[in-house]
Amino acid sequence: MAKITPRTLSGFMELLPAPQQQLERMMDILRKTYALYGFTPLDTPVIEASEVLLAKGGGETEKQIYRFQKGDADLALRFDLTVPLAKYVALHGGDLSFPFRRYQIGKVYRGERAQRGRFREFYQADIDIIGDGKLDIANEAEIPSIIYQTFTRLGLKRFQIRVNNRKILNGFYAMLGLTEQSGDIMRTVDKLDKIGPDKVRGLLTGELGLTEAAAGDILRFIAITGSNQEVLTALEGYRGRNEVFDAGLTELETVVKYLAAFGVPEENFAVDLTIARGLDYYTGTVYETTLLDHPEIGSVCSGGRYDNLAEYYTDRQLPGVGISIGLTRLFYVLGEQGMLNPQLPTAPADVLILPMTAELTPAIQLSTRLRAAGVRTQLYTEQKKFKAKMNYADKIGVPYVVFLGDDEVSAGVVACKDMVSGEQTTLPFDETLQRIREGLALREQGSVIVE
């Protein structure tokens, strides 16, 4: 029989055990942090009816989506976690309590061109707060605090959450008589970090047909910088000329005011008028988070306020605010930058038991006691030479190896070797357990990400 050459498709990630443990550790931190803020876990199907996923889809979504027929069913793989959430809330709204706060970490699929750091199958980590009819502005101020806590717990320090409000932008463009083109202008301005102001000016005057004066006004407006208070003070000079602008400025001032109470330091948060987010469904506060020492990475967490994401599924008004972390891409980039902490344990077990007797009962009983004490334990029963067993322990990176022979069983003790220091002790079970616990606690110190 001819053998099939094993391969992983382009744009799909498969990790070896050690980096998979690093990724799982990151996801565990995200889950615990989101739970601190009262978010409930949610899982939605990977496959949905195409009409559900494409209800608000445009040309790009149509091009990127994985779509297929199964019998008479027209199906597609989800391309984000937000659209399935909108369907979920519209479908189950009568059984949910609002505001509904959920987090979801799951794989999504986009059939775009695979390239370095860009995948066709990747994890997203999302949180959203959905209101029934209304959603208080305080929720939009809480989101940056969750971003701050999440990245701080991961080990990042030099990052900045950049915030703006789409109403401010829409109101400003209305002052210039450009309301009908505001969406196209925002999508163009959103490219500023990637292509620079000169090319943005060229797109505004070329593709969009704006006058040089209008393009200049836009570039000067989004170039307003300084401390958060200085930017807000500058924006006050525009107040009174457009109601939408005024509403957006009031919302932005409220978000900034509450941030200190939520525990977000000024150095990790900035009002940035260049932030627009290209998606049309954002209606208020928008967020982008960048690593200050690695601007080439781009945004590692983005999102914003939307007023009616579920409009294609229900007449019920369901406003919300949320953020998304492209977890697979972030993990890949952090690995490339050498920012994943190599000192944290990545072994599948804390203890490897090597029985030195033909009778396995004592070793099995010991493994049961260790697991009952919360110690991840693997029992190695393969009939191999001692050197091969120790090579196995080295290869999986297990921190402790326990030897159990006739002498240890008779004396009621446990022989335990620290695989890092090389120190070996022969002690009663309780003392060995204490030693293992203390050693594991020391090994767990430190963060997943190092800067």
Side-chain angles (χ1 to χ4, degrees):
M1 183 179 71
K3 300 294 184 185
I4 298 171
T5 302
R7 66 193 188 279
T8 302
L9 292 173
S10 175
F12 292 74
M13 177 185 278
E14 277 184 329
L15 297 172
L16 289 171
Q20 184 67 48
Q21 290 278 11
Q22 291 176 314
L23 179 59
E24 295 292 334
R25 193 184 290 267
M26 286 181 67
M27 288 194 281
D28 189 49
I29 290 170
L30 296 182
R31 292 187 185 98
K32 288 177 178 176
T33 306
Y34 296 158
L36 277 177
Y37 286 81
F39 288 82
T40 187
L42 180 65
D43 193 18
T44 55
V46 171
I47 300 174
E48 298 271 12
S50 294
E51 64 176 0
V52 170
L53 293 184
L54 294 173
K56 195 176 175 62
E60 282 303 308
T61 304
E62 292 267 12
K63 291 177 189 176
Q64 294 180 3
I65 198 169
Y66 282 99
R67 190 173 183 178
F68 56 95
Q69 295 286 136
K70 183 67 175 176
D72 295 332
D74 182 7
L75 305 171
L77 299 179
R78 65 188 182 201
F79 58 87
D80 72 1
L81 300 177
T82 308
V83 175
L85 171 66
K87 179 222 70 175
Y88 178 91
V89 176
L91 180 63
H92 300 288
D95 300 312
L96 300 175
S97 299
F98 291 92
F100 176 59
R101 301 162 71 95
R102 84 85 172 86
Y103 74 83
Q104 183 170 357
I105 301 174
K107 286 184 175 180
V108 299
Y109 299 84
R110 295 181 189 174
E112 55 189 353
R113 185 171 67 88
Q115 50 188 308
R116 195 172 186 177
R118 295 281 182 182
F119 297 90
R120 292 171 174 168
E121 176 191 64
F122 56 95
Y123 278 104
Q124 279 190 336
D126 286 19
I127 57 171
D128 286 88
I129 307 170
I130 309 295
D132 186 7
K134 294 182 179 180
L135 187 67
D136 191 80
I137 185 67
N139 293 287
E140 293 169 52
E142 187 179 31
I143 291 292
S145 73
I146 302 170
I147 299 173
Y148 172 75
Q149 284 292 335
T150 299
F151 283 108
T152 299
R153 285 167 175 256
L154 286 171
L156 290 168
K157 298 179 181 67
R158 289 187 43 75
F159 63 90
Q160 188 175 66
I161 306 160
R162 300 189 292 167
V163 181
N164 195 10
N165 193 297
R166 292 273 291 233
K167 292 176 185 174
I168 289 175
L169 298 177
N170 281 322
F172 177 72
Y173 300 142
M175 295 178 201
L176 300 178
L178 300 171
T179 297
E180 291 186 4
Q181 294 172 276
S182 62
D184 291 331
I185 294 171
M186 278 191 243
R187 279 188 290 275
T188 303
V189 168
D190 202 43
K191 301 174 183 177
L192 186 69
D193 280 349
K194 294 179 181 177
I195 65 175
D198 291 340
K199 289 186 178 179
V200 167
R201 181 189 292 272
L203 291 174
L204 291 174
T205 57
E207 288 186 8
L208 301 188
L210 272 61
T211 65
E212 285 287 348
D217 287 341
I218 291 169
L219 287 170
R220 279 190 295 274
F221 179 79
I222 62 177
I224 295 173
T225 56
S227 68
N228 292 332
Q229 195 52 57
E230 286 170 344
V231 175
L232 293 176
T233 299
L235 291 176
E236 281 292 337
Y238 293 87
R239 189 182 284 278
R241 295 165 57 185
N242 179 274
E243 289 184 3
V244 174
F245 181 95
D246 293 353
L249 180 53
T250 299
E251 290 177 0
L252 187 57
E253 288 173 338
T254 302
V255 168
V256 172
K257 180 180 73 173
Y258 285 145
L259 279 173
F262 275 120
V264 181
E266 176 101 10
E267 61 265 26
N268 292 108
F269 172 82
V271 175
D272 188 335
L273 300 178
T274 68
I275 303 302
R277 303 297 302 141
L279 298 173
D280 288 338
Y281 57 69
Y282 291 120
T283 55
T285 306
V286 284
Y287 317 94
E288 285 194 0
T289 307
T290 56
L291 305 183
L292 294 175
D293 295 327
H294 299 280
E296 73 280 0
I297 294 175
S299 175
V300 294
C301 176
S302 58
R305 166 74 182 235
Y306 44 87
D307 281 328
N308 203 5
L309 194 63
E311 62 183 327
Y312 291 94
Y313 315 117
T314 179
D315 291 331
R316 189 174 181 178
Q317 192 80 9
L318 297 168
V321 60
I323 53 167
S324 179
I325 299 173
L327 190 57
T328 300
R329 179 169 180 269
L330 177 60
F331 178 79
Y332 175 87
V333 171
L334 290 172
E336 284 235 313
Q337 297 289 343
M339 295 172 65
L340 294 174
N341 189 350
Q343 303 303 318
L344 290 180
T346 57
D350 303 317
V351 172
L352 179 69
I353 298 178
L354 300 182
M356 311 301 286
T357 60
E359 172 56 50
L360 294 178
T361 299
I364 294 171
Q365 290 174 333
L366 177 60
S367 69
T368 302
R369 290 183 71 186
L370 285 169
R371 290 174 188 138
V375 177
R376 299 179 306 152
T377 304
Q378 181 180 344
L379 181 62
Y380 190 98
T381 60
E382 305 309 308
Q383 301 301 309
K384 294 190 176 181
K385 293 182 178 180
F386 182 75
K387 184 177 179 180
K389 294 178 181 181
M390 293 303 291
N391 284 340
Y392 176 80
D394 277 329
K395 196 165 185 178
I396 66 171
V398 68
Y400 294 98
V401 173
V402 163
F403 311 104
L404 202 62
D406 288 329
D407 291 344
E408 286 81 16
V409 173
S410 299
V413 294
V414 177
C416 179
K417 181 175 182 178
D418 184 321
M419 295 296 287
V420 175
S421 69
E423 181 186 1
Q424 184 167 325
T425 57
T426 302
L427 300 167
F429 174 82
D430 289 341
E431 293 181 44
T432 300
L433 176 61
Q434 182 64 23
R435 179 173 177 268
I436 290 171
R437 282 176 168 166
E438 290 173 356
L440 292 175
L442 286 174
R443 285 179 168 85
E444 288 291 339
Q445 289 180 0
S447 56
V448 179
I449 300 170
V450 290
E451 289 189 287

